[in-house]
């Protein structure tokens, strides 16, 4: 009886395979295609990341005086490898060089690009921190405050409080500045050189 049952099961399986042969082949082809495609995509992404890393290293070792060369390489890495972490890092690096050379508008443009295009939240926060400070230096207080609110990484919390304090202080709003500085002091918990600097800024505004 068991043998008959086994034979019946084998017959059922054979019949199923025959009846659904075309569908089974299609499924197998789709699975095979997916695996090949995924492997190709992964390999391609690794290759792009390696190329972007190499370009980023070239940008870092280039003399800052050769801003035209740096600009061309930054544009290239942004155009060809915008989804890699290195594109935004390159933009931030170049923006800082532009800022040193008083090319404010160009610097802001690069910071904005990094803040909008980086796949890493920490790098987007870094770009926004630099951008907000750039706006502060240009006395564009509303833009500086708006940009500071875009800094989302938890690790930047204390720096944001300090930055917002600087913005309010520069804008003549001492009460708001003192409140922000106090939040920064509470965050840092009485430790480090930065704590002392913030404390001094708060004390200078206190009545």
């Amino acid at each position: 009886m068991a043998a008959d049952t086994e034979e019946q099961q084998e017959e059922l399986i054979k019949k199923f395979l025959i009846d659904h042969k075309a569908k089974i082949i299609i499924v197998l082809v789709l699975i095979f295609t997916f695996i090949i495609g995924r492997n190709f995509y992964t390999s391609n992404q690794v290759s792009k990341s390696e190329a972007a890393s190499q370009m980023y290293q070239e940008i870092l070792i280039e003399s800052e005086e050769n801003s035209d060369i740096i600009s061309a390489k930054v544009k290239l890495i942004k155009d060809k490898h915008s989804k890699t972490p290195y594109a935004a890092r390159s933009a931030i690096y170049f923006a800082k060089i532009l800022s040193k050379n008083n090319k404010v508008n160009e610097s802001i443009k690069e910071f904005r690009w990094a803040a909008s295009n980086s796949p890493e939240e920490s790098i987007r926060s870094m770009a926004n921190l630099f951008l907000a400070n750039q706006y502060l230096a240009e006395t564009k207080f509303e833009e500086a405050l708006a940009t500071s609110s875009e800094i989302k990484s938890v690790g930047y919390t204390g720096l944001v409080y300090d930055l917002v304090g600087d913005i309010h202080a520069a804008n003549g709003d001492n009460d708001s500045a003192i409140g922000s500085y106090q939040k920064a002091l509470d965050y840092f918990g009485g430790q480090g050189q930065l704590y002392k600097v913030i404390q001094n800024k708060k004390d200078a505004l206190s009545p």
Side-chain angles (χ1 to χ4, degrees):
M1 190 70 178
D4 290 341
T5 302
E6 289 179 3
E7 289 178 1
Q8 289 175 355
Q9 289 177 346
E10 290 177 1
E11 287 299 323
L12 288 173
I13 293 172
K14 288 178 182 179
K15 187 176 185 304
F16 176 84
L17 292 176
I18 292 171
D19 292 343
H20 299 85
K21 180 179 179 180
K23 293 180 180 179
I24 293 171
I25 291 174
I26 291 173
V27 170
L28 291 175
V29 169
L30 289 174
I31 292 173
F32 180 75
T33 302
F34 171 76
I35 293 172
I36 295 297
R38 184 184 62 182
N39 290 342
F40 175 79
Y41 175 81
T42 301
S43 176
N44 190 45
Q45 291 301 109
V46 170
S47 177
K48 285 184 177 181
S49 182
E50 290 176 349
S53 175
Q54 177 62 36
M55 293 173 64
Y56 179 57
Q57 295 303 319
E58 291 175 3
I59 289 169
L60 293 181
I61 64 176
E62 187 67 55
S63 172
E64 291 187 7
E65 296 177 358
N66 298 327
S67 59
D68 289 343
I69 295 176
I70 295 175
S71 177
K73 290 185 176 182
V74 169
K75 184 179 185 305
L76 184 61
I77 195 171
K78 285 162 60 179
D79 289 345
K80 291 187 174 295
H81 307 290
S82 62
K83 300 303 181 183
T84 68
Y86 303 103
R89 284 177 166 84
S90 298
I92 291 173
Y93 177 76
F94 185 40
K96 291 164 71 176
I97 294 175
L98 291 169
S99 183
K100 285 183 190 177
N101 294 326
N102 295 316
K103 296 182 178 180
V104 176
N105 291 334
E106 294 93 329
S107 175
I108 288 174
K109 183 178 178 181
E110 294 295 332
F111 283 135
R112 280 178 173 171
W113 190 94
S116 299
N117 290 277
S118 175
E120 300 172 289
E121 184 178 88
S122 61
I123 299 302
R124 294 195 298 272
S125 293
M126 179 188 295
N128 279 317
L129 181 67
F130 283 124
L131 179 58
N133 275 287
Q134 183 75 72
Y135 281 134
L136 174 58
E138 297 301 308
T139 66
K140 296 180 178 180
F141 304 124
E142 289 186 7
E143 291 90 337
L145 282 173
T147 303
S148 68
S149 69
E150 295 299 318
I151 303 172
K152 306 297 185 183
S153 295
V154 175
Y156 286 84
T157 301
L159 295 176
V160 172
Y161 288 142
D162 180 40
L163 170 62
V164 171
D166 290 344
I167 296 169
H168 287 311
N171 200 25
D173 187 352
N174 289 354
D175 289 340
S176 295
I178 290 171
S180 294
Y181 287 143
Q182 186 57 56
K183 288 180 180 178
L185 294 171
D186 293 341
Y187 180 84
F188 288 117
Q191 298 179 357
Q193 187 62 35
L194 182 57
Y195 181 92
K196 296 178 182 178
V197 172
I198 297 171
Q199 184 68 61
N200 288 337
K201 288 191 289 187
K202 177 177 177 289
D203 291 343
L205 297 177
S206 299

